[in-house]
Amino acid sequence: MRLLVTGGAGFIGSAFVRMALRGVDDVQLCNLDALTYAGNLENLHPVAAGTRYRFERADIADAAAVDRVFASFQPDAVVHFAAESHVDRSILSPEPVVRTNLNGTFTLLEAARRYKTQRFVHVSTDEVYGSIDEPHEADEGYPLKASSPYSASKAGSDLLALSYYATYKMNVSVTRASNNYGPYQFPEKLIPLMIANALEGKSLPVYGDGMQIRDWLYVEDHCRAIRAVLEKGRAGEVYNIGGSRALPNIEVVKRILAATGRPESLIRYVTDRPGHDRRYALTSEKIGRETGWKPEVEFEEGLEETVRWYRDNADWIANVRSGAYREFYEKNYAGR
Ligand code: NAD
Ligand code: TYD
């Protein structure tokens, strides 16, 4: 199979590329990535030298560049991860979010239509369902109610992807996963930010009262789910992918402090995020029933592994925390 992965230099995309190339499968893989602040070729170091892998630096919203990649690689299938993926950044500057997540997805769908690509998996998020009151859980038919420019752009791109099935009968499936964590995650999201700050003895900024609930999914469980949908998912269908544990943020933060041996006095409650969704909750019954997938990594085990990885990879953290990272950190946290 000739597999085109977009965003393969990011957190989840690189885990997927490493997994796909580790297998015995006869996969030729092309990674199309613009290498934004979140893209890092170091994440692919373990597999990049292989003959089954190639890298194309391109912007998914650049139709001519995308066309060139499709023309030369002729993919059988696309797994589309590339996105501006951070809610706080989408609040501070929504323009790149709309451009990449909406225009970029459109550009890829058009290329896949032109080149008659046989399969297209669009990777999305449970955030498109918005905040969900106890005791409810979103299934795939739950109404979309996005709160941030990020989640709105993902909801829009989901609908666009599904319209290519309804209109052009393209073989498109959409996945909606809960919050991921694991090695190689950019230290802007909750878990890697808190681990990195704790390891350095810096304060841990908790938004609002810290009682917002997220359902944590280990990144390798997510990648196995995407592979299951790629192979067994049905055209025109959405698949939720939930984690093994729903926890309030403050509980996650306290566990990180315990795992890093730091005191709870490092916790700093700061001004809440605007439009902050209180609770995400979803059911993954459908993907389990149709593909046999279920999450395998318990949160305790995944968190321990993640803390160990960040402890052992201080250079990786130092490299990604460049001047641009410090600027963002200052902008996002200074006024809180
Ligand atoms: P990430 O921010 O770590 O990586 C995004 C990657 O996309 C980077 O390599 C970046 O260089 C690339 N990219 C960004 N804009 C691009 C453009 N215009 N053209 C080409 N490449 C571009 O993101 P992630 O956390 O790995 O998320 C991957 C996907 O999974 C996203 O679509 C996201 O919405 C979805 N998702 C993420 C989570 C999560 O918890 N992180 C949960 C559910 C779904
Ligand atoms: P995040 O990792 O940004 O993912 P998302 O907003 O996509 O769920 O945030 C996870 C939760 O952690 C969310 O409720 C916001 C909260 N949070 C903090 O309390 N402090 C922080 O510094 C960050 C980045 C997030």
Side-chain angles (χ1 to χ4, degrees):
M1 157 156 13
R2 301 181 67 75
L3 185 59
L4 178 67
V5 172
T6 71
F11 163 51
I12 306 169
S14 69
F16 185 83
V17 171
R18 292 192 303 272
M19 178 184 283
L21 292 174
R22 225 177 17 234
V24 288
D25 309 346
D26 190 15
V27 169
Q28 291 290 329
L29 193 147
C30 175
N31 172 19
L32 186 167
D33 197 298
L35 300 182
T36 67
Y37 77 92
N40 184 352
L41 292 178
E42 270 187 60
N43 302 356
L44 294 157
H45 183 64
V47 294
T51 51
R52 293 188 291 149
Y53 171 80
R54 83 189 225 199
F55 174 65
E56 296 280 354
R57 185 169 190 177
D59 177 349
I60 56 165
D62 178 342
V66 167
D67 190 270
R68 273 196 297 279
V69 175
F70 272 74
S72 75
F73 186 65
Q74 298 284 337
D76 301 314
V78 174
V79 180
H80 173 34
F81 292 96
E84 288 291 337
S85 68
H86 187 34
V87 173
D88 291 319
R89 283 181 191 259
S90 85
I91 293 169
L92 290 173
S93 31
E95 195 275 339
V97 177
V98 169
R99 181 175 183 280
T100 289
N101 300 2
L102 283 168
N103 297 358
T105 300
F106 168 64
T107 304
L108 284 169
L109 287 165
E110 276 295 279
R113 182 159 81 94
R114 254 191 331 276
Y115 285 86
K116 302 189 175 13
T117 309
Q118 292 156 33
R119 184 87 180 105
F120 194 111
V121 176
H122 172 67
V123 178
S124 189
T125 166
D126 65 347
E127 300 195 21
V128 298
Y129 301 122
S131 200
I132 292 175
D133 292 335
E134 293 262 18
H136 303 289
E137 289 182 331
D139 64 12
E140 290 79 358
Y142 206 81
L144 304 185
K145 190 174 170 297
S147 316
S148 69
Y150 165 68
S151 50
S153 70
K154 293 299 288 189
S157 62
D158 289 12
L159 294 179
L160 199 56
L162 292 170
S163 80
Y164 274 62
Y165 167 70
T167 309
Y168 306 115
K169 296 289 168 273
M170 254 172 61
N171 188 357
V172 177
S173 301
V174 172
T175 60
R176 292 186 181 142
S178 62
N179 285 65
N180 281 221
Y181 70 104
Y184 298 96
Q185 187 168 27
F186 195 83
E188 63 186 359
K189 309 271 171 43
L190 180 75
I191 288 186
L193 177 78
M194 299 296 170
I195 295 175
N197 281 13
L199 289 175
E200 289 183 11
K202 284 172 45 183
S203 65
L204 275 57
V206 172
Y207 297 164
D209 63 2
M211 290 306 291
Q212 305 83 2
I213 292 179
R214 297 293 183 267
D215 173 22
W216 293 99
L217 172 67
Y218 194 62
V219 65
E220 289 191 8
D221 276 336
H222 186 191
C223 292
R224 285 191 307 100
I226 290 168
R227 193 165 62 188
V229 170
L230 175 67
E231 289 167 2
K232 300 179 193 160
R234 287 181 295 130
E237 294 291 322
V238 176
Y239 294 91
N240 284 350
I241 306 170
S244 54
R245 192 70 59 82
L247 287 170
N249 294 337
I250 190 66
E251 177 66 27
V252 172
V253 169
K254 286 183 177 170
R255 286 181 192 218
I256 290 170
L257 287 168
T260 51
R262 299 291 182 175
E264 292 191 4
S265 56
L266 285 179
I267 294 171
R268 185 163 60 92
Y269 289 94
V270 299
T271 311
D272 209 349
R273 173 190 276 173
H276 199 170
D277 286 331
R278 194 75 183 158
R279 174 176 177 265
Y280 294 140
L282 76 175
T283 166
S284 317
E285 194 266 330
K286 179 175 172 181
I287 186 174
R289 180 166 29 83
E290 292 194 19
T291 75
W293 175 87
K294 58 178 185 345
E296 286 176 5
V297 180
E298 288 294 336
F299 185 70
E300 285 69 18
E301 185 195 335
L303 188 64
E304 197 184 301
E305 177 57 32
T306 306
V307 169
R308 185 179 321 119
W309 189 88
Y310 281 89
R311 210 194 280 282
D312 293 346
N313 289 276
D315 287 353
W316 184 92
I317 304 182
N319 288 347
V320 300
R321 282 171 142 181
S322 64
Y325 175 85
R326 282 195 294 276
E327 251 169 58
F328 159 75
Y329 199 87
E330 190 54 30
K331 206 164 154 195
N332 193 45
Y333 293 98
R336 288 194 137 107

